[in-house]
Amino acid sequence: MQRREVLKFAGVSAALLGLPGIGVAQQTWSIAPFSLGVASGSPTSNSIVLWTRLGTPALDAAGLATKPVSVTWQLAHDEQFSRIAATGVVQATAALGHSVHAEVVGLEPGRAYFYRFVAGSATSTTGRTRTFPAPQAEVKRLRLAYASCQQWGNGYYSAYRHMLAENLDFVLFLGDYIYEYPASRPSDVRPTTGGWITTLEGYRSRYALHKSDPDLQAIHAAYPWIVTWDDHEVQNDYAAMHEGLSGTPVDNFMARRRAAYQAFYENMPVTRESFTQLLAGQGDEARVFGRVSYGRLATLYTLDDRQYRDPQACTPNNRSGSARIDPGKCDSLNDPQRTLLGNAQERWLSQQFAAARSQWNLIGQQTLFGRRNYSATGGQLLKNDGWDGYPAARRRLTDALLHTRLNNPVLLGGDIHENWVGHVLSDYNNPDCEAIGVEFCGTSITSLSSATPAQLAKQLETNPHFIFANAASRGYGVVELTPKQLTTTLTAVKDATDPHSTAFTLASFVVESGRATVEQR
Ligand SMILES: [Fe+2]
């Protein structure tokens, strides 16, 4: 087939594509290659990452499993791609799982764009994305959704279908995009293929399984995503270079972690810079923490509480991983040296706070920030895997909030598969101290919680800095910011095991700028 005919087959013309004369494979496909969808992410005021990854069945059928494939990307002002803003060609290589990351720079701030990919005779679906406003822009409104924990077998991604209609500026994903274990329970609604994953191939196929979901594909195509990870992108409860607690131990945990981090890169719309050394086999670190400003209205800090942390303290029987522990019987818990973010990230964050001028400061991190005493009998029982397991580190963060007088801090989290809403305290040992911020820890897209309503009611009583807790609902939260006010609306799906589930508003909350007080509406 001549190139002209290939392009005709793909439904576009060469002039329209602005294609260079070389570099585009004249590949015909018997199976559609863009089966894993498209995504955009890591937006700034002048850049965006466009992502896709070619599907294994198409590559196998075309005899390209080990070969590079030329993929053209296009970013346009209009959905018909008649006004191309930028275009280029990327080699999708087997070494990077045939993923495509087009890091498009030099874009206009606060603009909507359309994008798609072309490989020979095939054209991907069209995605929509948007750059952030210029850092100094006066912005009237920001709407973001926060989500986490999408265990495959526990349910369908119907929450994302409802999220599509939210008119968002971006999606903030706070970890557990995949899970490393094969199935969660006998009644899983869909099979998790591939068993325990510990290798690069395993992680790649688990991401491909998730990315086969039409609702997940649609929400990626609709909005840019900002992503961080938690433990299950590697292994349950892992802590820096220390293995966690799930499945059979591997001989070389750091090799496993490198494989998992590479697969994360391959499957997420993130920039290559942070992964350069890891992908070159020259290091173990992948820096996923960072910050981005949304005009003068807000700054978002995205943290990584897994890669640099000390191991969990006082897990019984010298086991690795997490447990609920009595802090009175755990001397090492209060060791001032213990860190959750690592020294470099902590220092960086304090510096960012000191320089911050935004009206609102959103801190997107993995888990519940405030103290959650689980004890129902008047004692203390704390989970050692979250901030409660690293009290000195939490105190350093709240001290940094206080000393820098950071405007309107808002903590966003995930991990616990329950919605919790409350106040950030300057000192969790002193329940009468002042609130210095607010917290919204989101429930899961599908992953389960075993807490009962009675347990949660008791815990709200024991931990009065929280004003709302719900373990029954799967879903997401939407934060809407204006210069004067924050509104958070929690949306729940009626039944996450129903792919066509309806959704309802579980609760909504308001915070006035300048007041660290969250109220339910
Ligand atoms: Fe989770």
Side-chain angles (χ1 to χ4, degrees):
M1 194 185 277
Q2 296 300 305
R3 179 163 166 244
R4 184 182 300 259
E5 288 171 82
V6 170
L7 292 167
K8 207 162 82 188
F9 181 68
V12 288
S13 77
L16 196 102
L17 286 172
L19 291 180
I22 52 165
V24 177
Q26 297 179 20
Q27 184 63 47
T28 53
W29 303 91
S30 56
I31 298 174
F34 295 111
S35 54
L36 301 177
V38 301
S40 73
S42 310
T44 71
S45 60
N46 59 16
S47 68
I48 193 86
V49 179
L50 309 179
W51 172 94
T52 191
R53 183 182 153 207
L54 304 176
T56 306
L59 292 165
D60 286 346
L64 293 171
T66 60
K67 300 206 175 87
V69 179
S70 290
V71 178
T72 298
W73 57 268
Q74 303 171 297
L75 188 77
H77 294 292
D78 64 318
E79 203 163 1
Q80 289 71 43
F81 289 83
S82 60
R83 289 191 300 132
I84 299 281
T87 182
V89 179
V90 173
Q91 296 294 312
T93 65
L96 289 178
H98 287 99
S99 60
V100 174
H101 294 77
E103 300 187 19
V104 190
V105 296
L107 298 173
E108 293 168 43
R111 288 280 304 244
Y113 292 96
F114 298 87
Y115 65 96
R116 66 184 177 188
F117 301 88
V118 180
S121 64
T123 302
S124 73
T125 54
T126 294
R128 264 189 91 113
T129 193
R130 178 171 267 285
T131 51
F132 277 14
Q136 295 307 315
E138 300 288 349
V139 178
K140 290 198 181 73
R141 199 187 73 146
L142 161 62
R143 266 175 81 80
L144 71 97
Y146 60 99
S148 60
C149 296
Q150 45 186 24
Q151 213 283 343
W152 179 259
N154 286 171
Y156 294 97
Y157 297 157
S158 33
Y160 285 133
R161 209 178 51 257
H162 296 284
M163 194 191 278
L164 277 179
E166 294 282 4
N167 190 20
L168 302 172
D169 295 298
F170 66 97
V171 174
L172 174 62
F173 192 83
L174 296 170
D176 291 355
Y177 192 95
I178 58 163
Y179 284 70
E180 82 286 15
Y181 50 76
S184 172
R185 51 179 187 168
S187 59
D188 273 6
V189 297
R190 46 185 176 176
T192 305
T193 51
W196 288 98
I197 51 170
T198 58
T199 64
L200 180 55
E201 277 313 312
Y203 287 106
R204 280 174 175 164
S205 58
R206 186 59 48 84
Y207 279 103
L209 177 69
H210 284 250
K211 299 241 179 212
S212 69
D213 186 283
D215 290 320
L216 184 60
Q217 288 196 8
I219 194 71
H220 270 300
Y223 304 113
W225 282 40
I226 295 175
V227 294
T228 185
W229 53 32
D230 195 16
D231 54 342
H232 289 287
E233 281 86 353
V234 180
Q235 185 201 20
N236 184 41
D237 288 349
Y238 89 91
M241 63 275 285
H242 303 276
E243 193 158 33
L245 189 64
S246 72
T248 311
V250 296
D251 289 337
N252 183 342
F253 175 70
M254 287 308 279
R256 179 185 190 175
R257 200 185 86 165
R258 279 194 300 276
Y261 285 5
Q262 178 172 336
F264 179 89
Y265 169 74
E266 290 174 358
N267 287 281
M268 292 293 159
V270 292
T271 59
R272 172 133 185 169
E273 188 186 11
S274 322
F275 291 83
T276 306
Q277 287 192 319
L278 182 105
L279 295 175
Q282 291 169 352
D284 295 317
E285 191 195 355
R287 182 176 152 160
V288 300
F289 64 86
R291 72 172 279 288
V292 63
S293 61
Y294 196 90
R296 293 185 180 203
L297 182 62
T299 298
L300 169 68
Y301 313 86
T302 315
L303 306 185
D304 173 0
D305 86 2
R306 279 289 157 192
Q307 190 173 184
Y308 312 103
R309 63 160 66 192
D310 283 312
Q312 297 87 348
C314 301
T315 298
N317 306 320
N318 277 327
R319 281 188 299 121
S320 59
S322 69
R324 287 180 197 171
I325 60 167
D326 179 348
K329 294 179 183 157
C330 180
D331 289 341
S332 58
L333 190 72
N334 288 304
D335 179 347
Q337 300 295 322
R338 279 171 58 70
T339 180
L340 188 63
L341 301 178
N343 296 333
Q345 187 178 190
E346 264 190 31
R347 227 179 6 253
W348 167 85
L349 189 59
S350 297
Q351 288 163 357
Q352 297 302 320
F353 288 171
R357 297 290 175 271
S358 301
Q359 182 87 20
W360 297 91
N361 286 279
L362 308 172
I363 302 164
Q365 45 83 54
Q366 282 67 26
T367 192
L368 189 70
F369 187 73
R371 177 179 291 178
R372 179 183 186 178
N373 181 3
Y374 285 81
S375 176
T377 55
Q380 283 219 52
L381 199 56
L382 303 176
K383 197 175 165 200
N384 68 356
D385 189 52
W387 288 96
D388 276 336
Y390 301 81
R394 178 167 57 198
R395 186 60 190 260
R396 286 193 295 274
L397 202 155
T398 53
D399 282 352
L401 294 178
L402 268 178
H403 295 150
T404 61
R405 297 203 181 96
L406 191 71
N407 282 338
N408 296 313
V410 180
L411 274 287
L412 300 171
D415 171 47
I416 58 173
H417 310 168
E418 298 167 11
N419 273 304
W420 284 73
V421 177
H423 297 98
V424 174
L425 300 187
S426 57
D427 177 2
Y428 285 94
N429 288 320
N430 175 11
D432 299 323
C433 72
E434 61 167 332
I436 57 171
V438 297
E439 165 168 31
F440 298 92
C441 191
T443 188
S444 55
I445 292 293
T446 53
S447 309
L448 303 171
S449 163
S450 56
T452 64
Q455 285 169 335
L456 287 202
K458 177 70 191 168
Q459 286 170 26
L460 276 174
E461 219 175 273
T462 312
N463 303 279
H465 44 281
F466 290 109
I467 65 162
F468 179 88
N470 177 291
S473 291
R474 315 278 73 82
Y476 60 86
V478 169
V479 176
E480 178 166 321
L481 293 176
T482 68
K484 288 193 170 146
Q485 197 178 63
L486 172 151
T487 312
T488 294
T489 305
L490 305 181
T491 293
V493 289
K494 186 156 170 269
D495 177 6
T497 68
D498 173 5
H500 309 293
S501 176
T502 55
F504 61 97
T505 298
L506 182 66
S508 59
F509 304 87
V510 180
V511 180
E512 303 297 333
S513 175
R515 289 185 63 214
T517 305
V518 55
E519 286 168 346
Q520 189 168 356
R521 294 216 275 214

